[in-house]
Amino acid sequence: MKTKTVFVCQNCGSQSARWVGKCPNCEEWNSYVEETSITRSEGTSMRAQVAAGVATAPVLLKEVNIHQEKRYLTAIGEFDRVMGGGIVPGSVTLIGGDPGIGKSTIVLQAGCALARTGLKVLYISGEESVKQAKMRADRVAQSANENFFIVNEIDVQTIIGYIHELTPQVVIIDSIQVVHMAEISSSPGSVAQVRESAAVLTQVAKARGVALFLIGHVTKEGMLAGPRVLEHMVDTVLYFEGERYSSYRVLRANKNRFGSTNEIGVFEMTSTGLQEVLNPSEIFLCERPQDSSGSVVVPILEGTRPFLVEIQGLVSRSAFGMVRQKTQGFDANRLALLVAVLEKRLGLNLGDKDIFLNVVGGVKVMDPAADLGVILAVASALLDKVVPHDMAILGEVGLSSEVRSVAQIASRVNEAQKLGFTRCIVPKNNMKNKNDFKPTNIKLIPVATVREALDKL
Ligand code: TYD
Ligand code: MG
């Protein structure tokens, strides 16, 4: 039989009959690799073969037993919350993140914790030897457990064999990029391998009610390497993020069929593994400089939990007429827009200045309620005007420099109050229904425009 080949983009998975230099879909250069083509029916029959023996018959929806849907808890509160309140049996979770961020560590800790609750856990370590994993487990002070099994294996068929043999309730694949199926000729890590391996493993997990964790690496663009296709197949996608040289790590749900996608978990990488950070605000604020211009505190909301972050701005005259804007932890395009508002609407002269913006502690802020804080950080740095130490800033900013209301103001203001802030700039529109919240020890300063906010400093 003549084998057909196709060219597949290793970044986004789109296919082409011939080689192309730049992917028309994701615009990645030089990402096409020749792979043996798998027709849909071949793929299906291959999966059917693998899944033989675990097939399930249709049942009446009303007869589906839901008290099976109880969740496994790891007792790592931050992890359970991001998972939507525990791990659902039969669910598939993809954990993505840069190399070295701590993916193996978190799943090992979660796995050990689950084993301690009496669940049988199978850890497929494709990247590290069993000894390395043991050393890591000892380091994170998790005693080896009767129920925690580990094997160094990359062949999907063999892995499925182990799952049938051991009947674990939880299976961890570290990582999906190294496992491979012998039936597919492409090399491990290629889109075809990753997609088919994940599909087969997912099917087995669903059929047996096994909670499956897949670890996946992320490319420099922040995409799950190659298999963006994977995101559609799994129930939950978690990203583990953090700055390389900061010890804080944030676990963020990107997709969750069993819970909210807004939740984050904050961890600190220590010499004994990842520790939960129960009160992130304190950590993010503990090194805040006193009475220094350019520093503001914003109560951001991640999921259901508010916490305070410090945003720092720095403005300096640029050399050689080359203006730079650099951000860390904040969207660069959003900063450009806010700077334009400052220039055009408030007449501040920023055209020949370099602007740097930093969110302290390696957090990524996506909450629009931080807009006003960002604007005031830049303005404060430019004008060398200090934002009072006990003042928090809240508000989304529109293009005409109006300050727009923010969601869930009460919990944000409460968080600020809890940490000793006595004043908070808030959007005027949020004050309309005052019954929403009754702050006691904090003075609210309503503003309608950026100009008003500046005047309050
Ligand atoms: P790891 O979980 O191997 O990352 P990933 O699987 O995402 O590639 O984490 C590796 C890093 O974490 C490594 O740089 C060392 C650090 N680390 C600690 O600081 N303390 C610890 O207890 C452990 C286990 C790792
Ligand atoms: Mg790893």
Side-chain angles (χ1 to χ4, degrees):
M1 193 184 79
K2 195 165 151 261
T3 43
K4 258 177 47 194
T5 62
V6 292
F7 291 87
V8 181
C9 171
Q10 300 299 302
N11 191 46
C12 70
S14 66
Q15 299 191 350
S16 162
R18 56 190 176 82
W19 189 83
V20 265
K22 183 183 178 190
C23 176
N25 185 37
C26 65
E27 311 207 323
E28 179 79 7
W29 285 93
N30 217 358
S31 60
Y32 274 74
V33 167
E34 187 170 15
E35 294 183 352
T36 319
S37 98
I38 308 157
T39 61
R40 188 173 292 255
S41 62
E42 273 169 349
T44 315
S45 73
M46 203 152 60
R47 280 175 229 159
Q49 264 177 21
V50 169
V54 294
T56 50
V59 288
L60 280 172
L61 182 60
K62 65 170 186 175
E63 281 169 13
V64 174
N65 209 347
I66 12 183
H67 53 244
Q68 287 173 344
E69 290 300 305
K70 83 178 207 319
R71 295 180 180 231
Y72 303 148
L73 293 176
T74 60
I76 305 173
E78 299 285 299
F79 186 80
D80 289 340
R81 203 189 43 246
V82 175
M83 290 294 298
I87 300 151
V88 176
S91 68
V92 181
T93 307
L94 179 65
I95 302 184
D98 293 329
I101 203 83
K103 300 181 296 296
S104 302
T105 310
I106 187 89
V107 289
L108 190 69
Q109 283 182 242
C112 287
L114 288 169
R116 245 176 287 129
T117 67
L119 297 169
K120 209 188 261 183
V121 179
L122 174 60
Y123 184 99
I124 312 286
S125 172
E127 294 184 351
E128 295 173 351
S129 70
V130 170
K131 287 208 182 77
Q132 280 172 309
K134 171 79 166 92
M135 268 151 55
R136 185 200 301 263
D138 288 346
R139 186 151 155 212
V140 300
Q142 310 274 4
S143 53
N145 192 288
E146 300 287 297
N147 293 317
F148 195 91
F149 294 84
I150 178 162
V151 63
N152 184 255
E153 180 58 65
I154 59 168
D155 181 64
V156 172
Q157 289 292 358
T158 318
I159 293 171
I160 291 169
Y162 292 139
I163 297 177
H164 286 310
E165 215 169 284
L166 278 169
T167 62
Q169 281 105 342
V170 180
V171 175
I172 300 163
I173 311 281
D174 189 0
S175 69
I176 190 67
Q177 269 111 359
V178 297
V179 298
H180 84 289
M181 291 177 77
E183 295 88 338
I184 301 171
S185 54
S186 323
S187 56
S190 66
V191 170
Q193 280 287 2
V194 169
R195 187 179 49 215
E196 293 305 316
S197 306
V200 167
L201 288 165
T202 301
Q203 200 180 13
V204 172
K206 294 270 178 223
R208 302 190 65 106
V210 169
L212 177 67
F213 287 90
L214 305 174
I215 308 286
H217 296 295
V218 160
T219 61
K220 55 188 186 304
E221 288 82 24
M223 291 297 172
L224 276 169
R228 250 194 296 180
V229 271
L230 277 190
E231 297 191 351
H232 308 294
M233 284 199 250
V234 301
D235 299 309
T236 304
V237 180
L238 304 182
Y239 280 101
F240 210 31
E241 43 191 54
E243 297 296 332
R244 185 108 204 143
Y245 297 103
S246 147
S247 59
Y248 297 108
R249 302 279 184 268
V250 174
L251 189 65
R252 189 187 292 278
N254 212 31
K255 163 182 176 182
N256 193 345
R257 286 189 184 145
F258 308 110
S260 153
T261 52
N262 296 319
E263 297 293 352
I264 65 163
V266 184
F267 296 89
E268 182 180 5
M269 182 62 94
T270 67
S271 57
T272 54
L274 289 158
Q275 307 288 338
E276 295 177 70
V277 174
L278 296 175
N279 194 345
S281 302
E282 272 169 22
I283 287 177
F284 295 141
L285 294 186
C286 65
E287 292 179 59
R288 190 173 177 219
Q290 295 270 341
D291 300 326
S292 149
S293 67
S295 156
V296 304
V297 170
V298 178
I300 60 165
L301 199 68
E302 289 285 359
T304 50
R305 186 166 61 162
F307 60 86
L308 305 187
V309 291
E310 181 190 348
I311 296 180
Q312 295 182 326
L314 186 64
V315 176
S316 71
R317 211 161 58 86
S318 68
F320 321 119
M322 281 264 288
V323 185
R324 286 178 297 173
Q325 282 184 8
K326 297 273 176 212
T327 63
Q328 200 154 37
F330 191 75
D331 181 27
N333 294 328
R334 189 84 196 153
L335 175 68
L337 189 149
L338 295 172
V339 168
V341 168
L342 272 179
E343 275 217 282
K344 279 281 169 202
R345 305 284 180 194
L346 287 101
L348 295 188
N349 183 14
L350 287 158
D352 56 346
K353 305 284 198 303
D354 287 342
I355 298 172
F356 304 93
L357 192 87
N358 181 24
V359 181
V360 178
V363 207
K364 281 206 182 92
V365 175
M366 296 176 201
D367 189 348
D371 287 355
L372 189 59
V374 168
I375 281 213
L376 292 187
V378 173
S380 150
L382 176 76
L383 307 169
D384 204 15
K385 220 176 182 183
V386 177
V387 178
H389 196 72
D390 57 349
M391 183 187 271
I393 317 280
L394 266 177
E396 182 178 343
V397 175
L399 289 186
S400 356
S401 89
E402 80 277 19
V403 175
R404 296 165 164 264
S405 58
V406 300
Q408 305 209 35
I409 185 134
S411 56
R412 297 174 194 259
V413 170
N414 277 337
E415 180 72 12
Q417 185 176 310
K418 234 169 40 195
L419 288 169
F421 285 79
T422 58
R423 289 179 273 177
C424 185
I425 293 190
V426 296
K428 202 169 223 158
N429 281 336
N430 271 119
M431 304 297 285
K432 275 184 188 148
N433 22 6
K434 268 209 181 100
N435 320 346
D436 279 3
F437 61 110
K438 296 182 188 67
T440 46
N441 298 320
I442 190 163
K443 186 173 165 250
L444 300 179
I445 308 167
V447 296
T449 62
V450 173
R451 162 81 57 206
E452 271 180 53
L454 265 180
D455 292 342
K456 300 285 197 246
L457 297 189

